[in-house]
Structure formats: structure tokens, C-alpha cells
Amino acid sequence: MTADRPAEAPRSRKPRVDAARNQEAIVEAAARVLAEQGAAVDVREIARLSGVGMGTLYRHFPTKEDLVRTILRREFLTWAASAREAAERAEDPWAALADFFRQALSGYARHRAISECFALAWAEPDVEGLGELRAVIGGLTARAHEAGSLRPDASADDLLLLLVSLGHAARLTGDSDPEQVERLLRVSLDGLRPGHAER
Amino acid sequence: MTADRPAEAPRSRKPRVDAARNQEAIVEAAARVLAEQGAAVDVREIARLSGVGMGTLYRHFPTKEDLVRTILRREFLTWAASAREAAERAEDPWAALADFFRQALSGYARHRAISECFALAWAEPDVEGLGELRAVIGGLTARAHEAGSLRPDASADDLLLLLVSLGHAARLTGDSDPEQVERLLRVSLDGLRPGHAER
Amino acid sequence: MTADRPAEAPRSRKPRVDAARNQEAIVEAAARVLAEQGAAVDVREIARLSGVGMGTLYRHFPTKEDLVRTILRREFLTWAASAREAAERAEDPWAALADFFRQALSGYARHRAISECFALAWAEPDVEGLGELRAVIGGLTARAHEAGSLRPDASADDLLLLLVSLGHAARLTGDSDPEQVERLLRVSLDGLRPGHAER
Amino acid sequence: MTADRPAEAPRSRKPRVDAARNQEAIVEAAARVLAEQGAAVDVREIARLSGVGMGTLYRHFPTKEDLVRTILRREFLTWAASAREAAERAEDPWAALADFFRQALSGYARHRAISECFALAWAEPDVEGLGELRAVIGGLTARAHEAGSLRPDASADDLLLLLVSLGHAARLTGDSDPEQVERLLRVSLDGLRPGHAER
DNA sequence: CATGAATGAGTCTTCATTCAT
DNA sequence: CATGAATGAAGACTCATTCAT
């Protein structure tokens, strides 16, 4: 239908090895669409953008929900991993925390889906992937507490909620004013330092 | 909004009253439903709860979107007003700001619709009602800046975004842990104090 | 869409009183279609034949299954009633039984749906309507046994199964050879007389 | 199920054997599935149970209908043959007829497909296989008539219809009450004896 | 002017059949 | 010649909006 015979390398068309390629195309398209439009999109739109028929889509993901969950998990994991890596590059516990937030928020801004994922995750906290994020934040929090650079009354769960909270702001503002979210983050980070009245 | 037949004699008064009663019923029901279920509700549900027929509902609001916008605006205004009043009860500029946030967040938690309203409002900043909130926050910010109790690099827009941000957290956690949002708010407020590195 | 302004009498168009008319139209159309094509028909077909939109159909019957069950029950009851009446017109117990069968079979022939109904009913014996039929057959059987005109080893359940059995034949042959089913019925009725070896 | 590469020489024999093996597997699986679930099954199910791919299945049977018809014919023939054999074991014409029925019904009960086959066959009487059954029944009927053990007004076609009729009952009751169908059969056989009023 | 039944395009999902490897 | 992934036309059901009474 769109030719592209096995010429150079990647783009051939349908079968066998390319089932994988199709799946990837679906995932890619779905990720993009979900990021932009949220989970309410028409499945057809995803099929169209993937360049596959409905049947193919449903072969790979037996349900719209399956598709959405898969994408969300993937996006979530990628995002969480990149934030974790940012944290790992820093020596100082406090810098690690800050870099983690900065990286996470920059990813958050681009994903309507991640946001929705959290909205679900909060109601249903066993969503895959959330666990790891918690672990990462838990580690960062513990290190920062040990180093005395984080106010004692701030728990890992608080930081997770703060992340979601600022993430929402990041997504709302989008690319219009990246500085603004950065300012908000600085305020929060300053507020997380020890030495404030702890009531 | 519709008729307005202030004529001389026969059928002028009662219809008006009835129409007003109906409109009120619709608005009330819609507000409740939108708060609980968001803008995705079936219009029928609103009609049912209002006790009016679809036709009546559509006479008052020619479109679902009209209805939703109207409700959101109303809810928004009520909410903003209550936050403003909370602010006005305080003498101290900083206390006014804190009370404003506290009140606003407590309202936010209960309104799925307000959240969605902001999501729209951000893309389309001329939504009625947002202006007044901006004015209130602007006033609070100015006073606090004058009093020297707010860090100089925090603008009114920043505080608005912070509000939305924390509001999201408030709605996510719902009634499950009110303390957590309060902690987050304290962190932010501490971070908003002057004396932090301002880069 | 099909005109027919409120001229002579019945056919007006949609609302209020005519909700009933629509429901009737749906039921009528569905009965016809189910009789001819069985429960596998496209709902759209029924809507089309009824002259109503999908929404109307689904307003009256929230599910295809609801529609089918309703029709089946209605058809079943009508059919069973006409058979019962046929039985009641006869004085002699045996003649009553025979007339009952004759009438029932003639109805059976025209209803693919009744057949499917029985197929379901056998798996799920609490289907509404079956009960009454059982009662009728039970009564006929008892009277015939008392009168000594029915072989003692034939139970009411046996007669019910025989009815379904011959009914299937009646439907298969359709209008092509009504005599053949009549012959089969005579054979069975003869076989039901007392005086055969009862093992 | 695949492999089986017994020879050395060219590649002429093996493909044939493989193809035959595949066809057999398909037929076997299809027969089982059709018996259990009727003709509404998903073709994939059959392919899966056969252990062959869709392509292979469609190579052997270019259409689902082809497959179904083939299976039905095969099942039909097997079933008819076993009934015929049962008939042949009996000396007495009447006993032959009775045994034929008994055997046929026991097979019928297990085959949802046979029933559907008859439903088709009746509309389209040239279905292959039906002919032979007719012949068998014709023979049995003729012998029984000659022996004077069958009522004169019962034709071979009548017995065929009776068979289908009781078969339906047999399938409906399934294994739940084998005695009931046996009672029904006895009634019919008694009714088929000569000496009843023949109108 | 209120009512709520009617409309029908749009949504998710299935399945017989084809076709690239 | 086998494989099983791809296709896409239906099918059941929903819901914002209109309209006859």
C-alpha cells in the first residue's frame, strides 16, 4: 500500500520481523497522541497515525485500555529513569534531589499522559512503575535527610506529591514560560531546606 | 439571557419566576455533578438531577459547553471570593496570603471542575473570572512585597501557578490525607519568604 | 421522513402518545425479523424496519438482549396462549391434547425465534413464560391420564419435549408440506395412546 | 505434527504427505469444534487447535463455508454410516429400524453441527450425504412395509423428518436425561406400528 | 414555554479473508 | 507451500442535540 520494498534498511512493510516494527509504530503513535490529547482519543486516530489497520492494532493490544496502560507504563518508566539518571550524576545529595526534580519536571511538561497516569495511580497505587519511582525518591530523601540538607518533616511521599503538583504546573504552562516553573521549583526547594519553623 | 418581556400586563411575572427557578435548579445540579464527575458527564444526568427536561435545559444553555462554562465560572467566582474573604480577614500581609492559599486549596480539593477549568483557562486566559482572581492575588502580592515579607522574585503570576499546582495535589489526595497538602503548602510558603538565594 | 401527517387516524409521528406507537413498531418489526432471521440480526435492521433511529430503539430496549428477550417472551406467550385456548375448546381430554399440539405446531412453524427461545429455555429453565406452558401441559396431561386416554409412562415433561421436537420439524418443513408434520403428529399421538408395551 | 522428513530423494512425496496430515488435523479439529460450538466459531480457533496457520487452513478450504460444509458432510456420513451399520446388524426389519433410530439419535446428541447441517439441508436438499441417508431409510422403510411391521401411511421422508425431530430433542436434552429421549423414541416407534387409524 | 422521546454520527471491538515473508 | 500478521467492514452501544406535542 505504501511500497517501500526492502531497500536500504529499516522500513519494509508488514510481516514477521515487522510485526515488531508495527508494534513499535503503534506504540510510538499512541505515545504521541496520548501525550497530546490524553486517553480520550479515538482508537482509529492511533491506528491511522501508526499506519496500521484496526485489526493490527487490536492484535497487539486486545483492548484500548491495554494499549493505554502499556503506553503509560512505558512513558512513565522512561521518564522516571531519566529523572533517576539525572539524580545519579550528582554527588551532593541535595543537588541530586534538585536535579531529579528538574529533569522530572521537564519530562512531565510534555506528557499529558503521565499526568493522567498519576491521576489514576493515586487512586490505584499499585500501578506498575510507580513503585520504582517511589524507591528512587525514597533513596534521595533518605540521603538528603542523612546529610541534613532536607527539612526533617518532609517525607518521601511529600516529595512525590510535590513532584506531581509541580508537574501539573509544568504541563499547564507547557513551553510558554519554562522559567516560571523553574522559579516555582526554586521556591519549593528553598522551602524544603532545613531551618524553617517546623511546627 | 433569553426573553425578557417586561411588557404591560398578562403573562409577564410568573413565567419569569419559573424560568429563574429552573435555571437555578439546573445550575445547582450541574455544579454538583461537575464537581464530582468532571465535564465528561452525560447531559441527561444533569437534567435528571435538576428535575427539568432536556428541552428546558437546552433552552437555558444552548450547548453543553455553554452550561459547563457557566457553571465553571460561577463555581470559580464563588471559590475565588471565599479565598479573597479569607485573605481580607487578616491584618498582616503575609498572613493574608497564607490564609488565602489555605482557603483556596480547601475549596479546590472538592472541585474536579475547578481543576478542569484552570486547565482550560491556562490555554485560553481570557476566561471570565480568572481576571478577578489575578487581581486578588496581585493585591496580596503587592502588599506582601511592600511589607517585605515575600521574596522579591515571586510574581503574582507565580503565586497563581503555585495555587493551581498545589490545588491539583489537593484534589488528588482528596480527603485521604489533608495534612499532606498542608505540609506541602507550608513548604511552599516557607520557600516564598525572603532571604533565600535569589539567583 | 415518511410524512404521513395526522390525517385519518393512527399514523402520526413521534412523541408522547407515540412513544408507545414507536415501541410497538419496534416490537412488531423485531418480532418479524427474529421470526425470519433469528437472533443474529443486525440491530440496525430492526431499527430500519421499525422506522426509528438507533437511539430510539436503545431507549426502549437498553440492550439487544433485552429486546430479544422481550420479543421472545411476547411471542412465546402469544403462542402458548393460543395453544391453550385451542385445548380449552375441546371437551374430551384427549382431543384437548391433540388440539393443543396441532395449534402449537402451527404457530411453531412460523417462528424461528420460538425455537431459539426453547433452545435457551432448556439450558436456563427459569425463562419466563415456560412456566405457564408447563402448567398447561401439566393440566392436559393429568386430565388425559385420569381419563385413561394417555399411556401411563408419558409425563408432562415428555410431552413438552415432544412438542419442541415436533416443533423443530414443523419449522424445518415450513409451509412446504404441512401434511407431513400432521402425519408425524398423528404418529406421535397414536404412540401416546395407552395399550402399548410399557417396558 | 510438522517434521516427518523420512526420505532422501527429491521433494515429491513428503509435501503430499504433509499436506494430507495437515488437512486431517484441520478436519479433526474442526469436527470437534463444530460439534461443540456450532458453525459460529472463530476460524482462528480451528486453526489454533489444528496446529496450522491461517494460510494453511485457507489453502485447504478457501472459505469458512467450504470448511464447514466439508466437515458437516464428513460427520454426517460417519454418523449415517454408523446408524446404517446398526440397522444391518438386525435381522428383523422392525428391529433394524428401531436400532437405526437408536444409534442415530445417540450420535445426534453429540453433534451440534449435525443439527445445523440438517437445518441447511432441508432448505437445500441436494446437500451431499443426505442422499445416502435417504437411501438407507428408504431401504429400511421398504423392508418394514413389506414385512407389514410399519404403518402403511408412513413414508421414508416421514421417518427422515422424525429422525431430525427426535434428534433435535436429543441434542437439547444432551446428557442430562438420556431416558427421556428413549421414551420419546418408544412412543414414536409405537405410533409407527400398523393398526392405528390411518385416516 | 416545558417535556422527554427521537435522532444518528461516532466509539470500541470482532472476525473472515488476504498476503508478505 | 506454511505461517500468522494485517486488513477493514460490520456490529453493539452512547450521547449531544433537536423537535413534535
Side-chain angles (χ1 to χ4, degrees), chain D residues 171-191:
Chain D
R171 195 166 67 70
L172 269 192
T173 54
D175 299 325
S176 67
D177 185 358
E179 272 308 300
Q180 196 178 12
V181 173
E182 171 62 23
R183 277 200 301 278
L184 234 55
L185 174 59
R186 274 205 305 272
V187 165
S188 297
L189 289 176
D190 287 342

mmCIF file of all heavy atoms in Angstrom, chain D residues 171-191:
data_model
loop_
_atom_site.group_PDB
_atom_site.id
_atom_site.type_symbol
_atom_site.label_atom_id
_atom_site.label_comp_id
_atom_site.label_asym_id
_atom_site.label_seq_id
_atom_site.Cartn_x
_atom_site.Cartn_y
_atom_site.Cartn_z
ATOM 1 N N ARG D 171 -30.437 -33.561 21.187
ATOM 2 C CA ARG D 171 -29.378 -32.590 21.405
ATOM 3 C C ARG D 171 -29.745 -31.604 22.511
ATOM 4 O O ARG D 171 -28.904 -31.215 23.318
ATOM 5 C CB ARG D 171 -29.060 -31.830 20.121
ATOM 6 C CG ARG D 171 -27.739 -31.081 20.225
ATOM 7 C CD ARG D 171 -27.258 -30.617 18.906
ATOM 8 N NE ARG D 171 -28.140 -29.600 18.381
ATOM 9 C CZ ARG D 171 -28.225 -28.372 18.888
ATOM 10 N NH1 ARG D 171 -27.480 -28.033 19.914
ATOM 11 N NH2 ARG D 171 -29.027 -27.498 18.362
ATOM 12 N N LEU D 172 -31.006 -31.237 22.547
ATOM 13 C CA LEU D 172 -31.430 -30.297 23.587
ATOM 14 C C LEU D 172 -31.211 -30.869 24.980
ATOM 15 O O LEU D 172 -30.673 -30.211 25.866
ATOM 16 C CB LEU D 172 -32.915 -29.973 23.432
ATOM 17 C CG LEU D 172 -33.289 -28.776 22.576
ATOM 18 C CD1 LEU D 172 -34.751 -28.445 22.796
ATOM 19 C CD2 LEU D 172 -32.447 -27.575 22.923
ATOM 20 N N THR D 173 -31.643 -32.082 25.155
ATOM 21 C CA THR D 173 -31.526 -32.665 26.496
ATOM 22 C C THR D 173 -30.080 -33.052 26.797
ATOM 23 O O THR D 173 -29.696 -33.151 27.955
ATOM 24 C CB THR D 173 -32.408 -33.910 26.643
ATOM 25 O OG1 THR D 173 -32.069 -34.805 25.583
ATOM 26 C CG2 THR D 173 -33.877 -33.553 26.502
ATOM 27 N N GLY D 174 -29.314 -33.280 25.760
ATOM 28 C CA GLY D 174 -27.895 -33.591 25.968
ATOM 29 C C GLY D 174 -27.750 -34.832 26.803
ATOM 30 O O GLY D 174 -28.458 -35.830 26.598
ATOM 31 N N ASP D 175 -26.833 -34.769 27.753
ATOM 32 C CA ASP D 175 -26.620 -35.946 28.586
ATOM 33 C C ASP D 175 -27.481 -35.904 29.832
ATOM 34 O O ASP D 175 -27.414 -36.806 30.660
ATOM 35 C CB ASP D 175 -25.141 -36.013 29.002
ATOM 36 C CG ASP D 175 -24.245 -36.126 27.779
ATOM 37 O OD1 ASP D 175 -24.666 -36.770 26.818
ATOM 38 O OD2 ASP D 175 -23.123 -35.587 27.816
ATOM 39 N N SER D 176 -28.294 -34.840 29.949
ATOM 40 C CA SER D 176 -28.965 -34.647 31.230
ATOM 41 C C SER D 176 -29.967 -35.759 31.534
ATOM 42 O O SER D 176 -30.100 -36.164 32.673
ATOM 43 C CB SER D 176 -29.672 -33.286 31.253
ATOM 44 O OG SER D 176 -30.742 -33.295 30.333
ATOM 45 N N ASP D 177 -30.673 -36.219 30.535
ATOM 46 C CA ASP D 177 -31.641 -37.284 30.800
ATOM 47 C C ASP D 177 -31.811 -38.165 29.560
ATOM 48 O O ASP D 177 -32.783 -38.007 28.806
ATOM 49 C CB ASP D 177 -32.987 -36.675 31.210
ATOM 50 C CG ASP D 177 -33.990 -37.742 31.621
ATOM 51 O OD1 ASP D 177 -33.636 -38.952 31.552
ATOM 52 O OD2 ASP D 177 -35.111 -37.392 31.993
ATOM 53 N N PRO D 178 -30.919 -39.084 29.364
ATOM 54 C CA PRO D 178 -30.969 -39.929 28.157
ATOM 55 C C PRO D 178 -32.248 -40.755 28.106
ATOM 56 O O PRO D 178 -32.747 -41.089 27.032
ATOM 57 C CB PRO D 178 -29.747 -40.846 28.312
ATOM 58 C CG PRO D 178 -28.977 -40.338 29.477
ATOM 59 C CD PRO D 178 -29.853 -39.461 30.275
ATOM 60 N N GLU D 179 -32.796 -41.042 29.241
ATOM 61 C CA GLU D 179 -34.010 -41.843 29.291
ATOM 62 C C GLU D 179 -35.188 -41.131 28.633
ATOM 63 O O GLU D 179 -36.058 -41.757 28.039
ATOM 64 C CB GLU D 179 -34.377 -42.158 30.748
ATOM 65 C CG GLU D 179 -33.723 -43.407 31.272
ATOM 66 C CD GLU D 179 -33.974 -44.590 30.321
ATOM 67 O OE1 GLU D 179 -35.144 -44.945 30.099
ATOM 68 O OE2 GLU D 179 -32.978 -45.144 29.791
ATOM 69 N N GLN D 180 -35.181 -39.832 28.753
ATOM 70 C CA GLN D 180 -36.336 -39.101 28.251
ATOM 71 C C GLN D 180 -36.452 -39.243 26.734
ATOM 72 O O GLN D 180 -37.541 -39.483 26.195
ATOM 73 C CB GLN D 180 -36.244 -37.619 28.645
ATOM 74 C CG GLN D 180 -37.584 -36.916 28.481
ATOM 75 C CD GLN D 180 -37.535 -35.460 28.900
ATOM 76 O OE1 GLN D 180 -36.466 -34.900 29.110
ATOM 77 N NE2 GLN D 180 -38.695 -34.855 29.028
ATOM 78 N N VAL D 181 -35.321 -39.113 26.062
ATOM 79 C CA VAL D 181 -35.351 -39.261 24.606
ATOM 80 C C VAL D 181 -35.717 -40.699 24.231
ATOM 81 O O VAL D 181 -36.470 -40.944 23.283
ATOM 82 C CB VAL D 181 -33.998 -38.855 23.992
ATOM 83 C CG1 VAL D 181 -33.975 -39.183 22.513
ATOM 84 C CG2 VAL D 181 -33.754 -37.371 24.204
ATOM 85 N N GLU D 182 -35.209 -41.611 25.000
ATOM 86 C CA GLU D 182 -35.548 -43.013 24.748
ATOM 87 C C GLU D 182 -37.070 -43.219 24.873
ATOM 88 O O GLU D 182 -37.686 -43.898 24.052
ATOM 89 C CB GLU D 182 -34.796 -43.910 25.749
ATOM 90 C CG GLU D 182 -35.205 -45.370 25.749
ATOM 91 C CD GLU D 182 -34.954 -46.082 24.415
ATOM 92 O OE1 GLU D 182 -34.091 -45.607 23.639
ATOM 93 O OE2 GLU D 182 -35.625 -47.090 24.133
ATOM 94 N N ARG D 183 -37.672 -42.606 25.866
ATOM 95 C CA ARG D 183 -39.123 -42.711 25.994
ATOM 96 C C ARG D 183 -39.829 -42.118 24.775
ATOM 97 O O ARG D 183 -40.768 -42.696 24.230
ATOM 98 C CB ARG D 183 -39.600 -41.968 27.258
ATOM 99 C CG ARG D 183 -39.482 -42.771 28.527
ATOM 100 C CD ARG D 183 -40.382 -42.230 29.626
ATOM 101 N NE ARG D 183 -40.094 -40.842 29.960
ATOM 102 C CZ ARG D 183 -39.117 -40.460 30.778
ATOM 103 N NH1 ARG D 183 -38.306 -41.361 31.346
ATOM 104 N NH2 ARG D 183 -38.937 -39.180 31.041
ATOM 105 N N LEU D 184 -39.328 -40.966 24.349
ATOM 106 C CA LEU D 184 -39.917 -40.327 23.183
ATOM 107 C C LEU D 184 -39.801 -41.234 21.962
ATOM 108 O O LEU D 184 -40.744 -41.359 21.163
ATOM 109 C CB LEU D 184 -39.197 -39.002 22.894
ATOM 110 C CG LEU D 184 -40.094 -37.779 22.803
ATOM 111 C CD1 LEU D 184 -40.923 -37.664 24.050
ATOM 112 C CD2 LEU D 184 -39.254 -36.529 22.591
ATOM 113 N N LEU D 185 -38.667 -41.846 21.832
ATOM 114 C CA LEU D 185 -38.463 -42.735 20.689
ATOM 115 C C LEU D 185 -39.443 -43.901 20.747
ATOM 116 O O LEU D 185 -40.051 -44.278 19.740
ATOM 117 C CB LEU D 185 -37.018 -43.249 20.683
ATOM 118 C CG LEU D 185 -36.711 -44.290 19.623
ATOM 119 C CD1 LEU D 185 -36.994 -43.746 18.217
ATOM 120 C CD2 LEU D 185 -35.253 -44.755 19.718
ATOM 121 N N ARG D 186 -39.610 -44.455 21.929
ATOM 122 C CA ARG D 186 -40.539 -45.583 22.058
ATOM 123 C C ARG D 186 -41.948 -45.177 21.673
ATOM 124 O O ARG D 186 -42.663 -45.905 20.984
ATOM 125 C CB ARG D 186 -40.517 -46.131 23.490
ATOM 126 C CG ARG D 186 -39.408 -47.152 23.708
ATOM 127 C CD ARG D 186 -39.735 -48.102 24.854
ATOM 128 N NE ARG D 186 -40.025 -47.387 26.081
ATOM 129 C CZ ARG D 186 -39.103 -47.025 26.982
ATOM 130 N NH1 ARG D 186 -37.824 -47.313 26.769
ATOM 131 N NH2 ARG D 186 -39.461 -46.390 28.072
ATOM 132 N N VAL D 187 -42.325 -43.996 22.105
ATOM 133 C CA VAL D 187 -43.661 -43.505 21.744
ATOM 134 C C VAL D 187 -43.791 -43.448 20.224
ATOM 135 O O VAL D 187 -44.765 -43.941 19.633
ATOM 136 C CB VAL D 187 -43.914 -42.122 22.365
ATOM 137 C CG1 VAL D 187 -45.118 -41.449 21.701
ATOM 138 C CG2 VAL D 187 -44.135 -42.253 23.866
ATOM 139 N N SER D 188 -42.776 -42.863 19.596
ATOM 140 C CA SER D 188 -42.868 -42.707 18.141
ATOM 141 C C SER D 188 -42.869 -44.056 17.450
ATOM 142 O O SER D 188 -43.620 -44.291 16.489
ATOM 143 C CB SER D 188 -41.700 -41.865 17.638
ATOM 144 O OG SER D 188 -41.761 -40.570 18.196
ATOM 145 N N LEU D 189 -42.022 -44.959 17.923
ATOM 146 C CA LEU D 189 -41.973 -46.269 17.287
ATOM 147 C C LEU D 189 -43.304 -46.990 17.455
ATOM 148 O O LEU D 189 -43.821 -47.602 16.511
ATOM 149 C CB LEU D 189 -40.823 -47.094 17.886
ATOM 150 C CG LEU D 189 -39.421 -46.619 17.491
ATOM 151 C CD1 LEU D 189 -38.355 -47.451 18.220
ATOM 152 C CD2 LEU D 189 -39.207 -46.704 15.983
ATOM 153 N N ASP D 190 -43.853 -46.880 18.643
ATOM 154 C CA ASP D 190 -45.175 -47.495 18.851
ATOM 155 C C ASP D 190 -46.180 -46.897 17.885
ATOM 156 O O ASP D 190 -46.994 -47.607 17.283
ATOM 157 C CB ASP D 190 -45.627 -47.275 20.299
ATOM 158 C CG ASP D 190 -44.838 -48.142 21.277
ATOM 159 O OD1 ASP D 190 -44.216 -49.129 20.820
ATOM 160 O OD2 ASP D 190 -44.832 -47.826 22.483
ATOM 161 N N GLY D 191 -46.097 -45.596 17.727
ATOM 162 C CA GLY D 191 -47.034 -44.942 16.826
ATOM 163 C C GLY D 191 -46.818 -45.326 15.374
ATOM 164 O O GLY D 191 -47.711 -45.149 14.530
#
